[in-house]
Each structure stands twice: as C-alpha cells, then as structure tokens.
Amino acid sequence: MVFTRTPAGPTAGGGGTSPIEPSLTERARELADRVARPTAADRDRDRRWDPELFTELTGAGTGPGLAGPLVPRALGGSGLSAAQTCALLEGLGEGARDPGLALAVAVHAVLTTAPLRAFGTVWQRERYLPRMASGEWIGAVSLRQTQAAALTPTVTARPAEPGPGGWVLDGELDLVAGAPVAHHYLIIASHDGGGRTAFLLDRDTPGLLVDDAAPMAMHTCPWGRLILSGCAVRDDAVLGTAGAAASEVEPMLTALDWVFLSAPWLGLMRALTRDAVKGATERHLFGRPLAHSQSVRFTLADLATRCQLATEVLHRAAKRFDGGGTPSYQDAATARLFVTAAVRAVTEGAARLSGPLPRSGDHLIERAHRDALFFAETGGGTEVLRPVIAASVLGLG
C-alpha cells in the first residue's frame, strides 16, 4: 500500500490487490498463541503491559511484521498491503485472545505509521519509521482523535513568538493508547481561523507530561493522558500541511480506526465461536450434549455466519486502501458498524453456550464482553457511523 499526498487528501495506490496469503493470518495466530495467550488472563487481571512480550511479538526478523506491516521495506518494514495487514491483525486477535494487546499493537502498527507514511516529510519518515517498524520506538495516538469532525480538538496551537518560529501547544488529551510506553505522539490541535494541524511530539518535548488514566476496559493496553502546558515545538514537528489536518490526517485516522482496529475482533470472534462449539459439545442437559439441541445448532450457525460476513465486509473495506483508489468512508463505516454488532452477538451467544466460567482458564468470554462494549463506543459509535453511511447513500458526501 502506497499512501500519497494529494490536494484532496490521502489516497492509496500501488501494485494492485494481490490475494491475501493464508499463511500471514496463520503465522500471526501461531506466534500470538505461543507468546501472548498463556499470560493473557494474568495480564488482564493485573492491568499489566509486558514490554518483553511486545518485543517478542514485533521484534525485527522474528515475527510476521507486526510492528511495521505498512512501512516500506526500504525503511525497515514489511511492505504489506492493507488487505494483508488486516489479515495479520486478524491472526493476532485469534491467537492472543487478548483485545487490549491487539488494540495496542494495531494503534502502533497502523494508526501511527500510516499517516506518517502518507504525510510525513522525507526527514520524518526516515527518522521515525525504521525504528517504529523494528518495535524500538512505539507511537501513540488518542482514540478521541479518530472521530474527525465529530469532536472538537482539546489541544490548541498558536504560532510561537517571532524569532525561532514553531508552535506552542496547550491542552489535555485522554484515551491515549500507548501513552506510558510511547516514544512519540500524534496530536491534532486547533488554532485561530478554524484550522487544525497535526503534530509529532517526542516524549521528551518540554511542556509535555504523561499522566496515568485508563478506561475500565482493554486492561492490557497501556493507557494514559497527555497534558500540554506551553509545549514549544519546531516547525518540523508538523505532520502534513499546517492548518489542513481536517482534510489530510484526520480523515485517514478515522478510516484506519474503523477498519484496522476492527480487524483483531475477526479473530477474536472465531476464537469465541470455537469456545461455543466446545461448550455445546461438552455440556450436557438432561443427559444429552447441548449440541443435540436444534436451537443450539441454530445459534452456532448464526455465530459462524456472523463471523464469515464480518470478515468479508471488513476485508472489502481494507482492500479499498489498495490499488490506487481513495478509501471509502461508506465502506469503512459500514464495516465498523457491522463488525461491532457481530462482536456483541457472537460474544453473547458464546457466553450462553459455554456456561458458567470455571475457576481456571483464560476467561476470554468475560474479557470480550467487557471490551466489546468499549469497542462499540470508540470510533464515534453508531451516532457517527450511521450518519456517515446515510450521507453516502443519499449522495451528500
């Protein structure tokens, strides 16, 4: 996938859409199953981020490109297409059975690298992307900033005093995925005249403070809040065109969120469906396995169908980033809306068939139920997704 800058905003072009390699999903699933799954329940209970686990998942040359799938090979990445990246994250979700970890990896691997690739200067791309692709530097972004015009930026920017130039940023930003462990942050700020500008801020930027703040979900993702007080940055910290973030970086962040933060849930739904099949086979009612019940079989059929349809819809949206076309807001919003509904239905169905949680085990259903509610509200929720789809259907933009 090759992101380029155009007056109309980001587009995706390149060498077309090649078939997705089944081995990509399988390799990611096997790696995550071996590395992350055994400790998922403990890390979730302790609200713990494991840097060594992240390194093992994303280390250069040891995994399937989880740190920099969209980063060009020339800059140390895997150079995968958007469709291949979607498949990779799908395998991560299925193998790790850990929604929080999958979210943290997806935010770093996609939401913080793709805008840099699309809108970064040569200096910015060469400085950040190789270290991000190796997992040495982690990028972070607030999920508040992936809702485009739906929310007003909580950070403001003003030109610095005449002389050295640059900008001064003030404000606070919460729900920052990766904040405590990040090397740098993608921040969108508003300024006089109604413009918005995207910035890349290194962690050691004077005036930038990282504070603890986490939602009641996605426990294994490292969360934090950014406080900016007279934060002075140079002009080379601007990502894209000054004042044009609303037509460049923000639309891309929104589409990336809707598609790629949904991708791990495809794998998680498959894992939940397998758990439901196991529960229906092993549990007995009146001396007979639940799987003998017609209604249980219908439920399993519904779960499998939702998994299949969600996969098809999301992969279609991911492919729109490839092949030279502009990513479709309607496809991305439709995919997110459908996947969100499917996740909740599959989680509830799996819970009914699996029965009471045992004392031991990884308790995926419990985590998935809690984190699915959070997932449904990010990216703007139905209040943003449905109007976007309706506007597209009506030809209103």
Side-chain angles (χ1 to χ4, degrees), residues 12 61 72 116 121 144 162 312:
L116 232 174
T121 63
R144 302 284 189 197
E312 294 293 333

Side-chain angles (χ1 to χ4, degrees), residues 59-76:
T62 62
L66 283 169
L70 299 176
V71 176
R73 292 183 182 273
L75 292 174

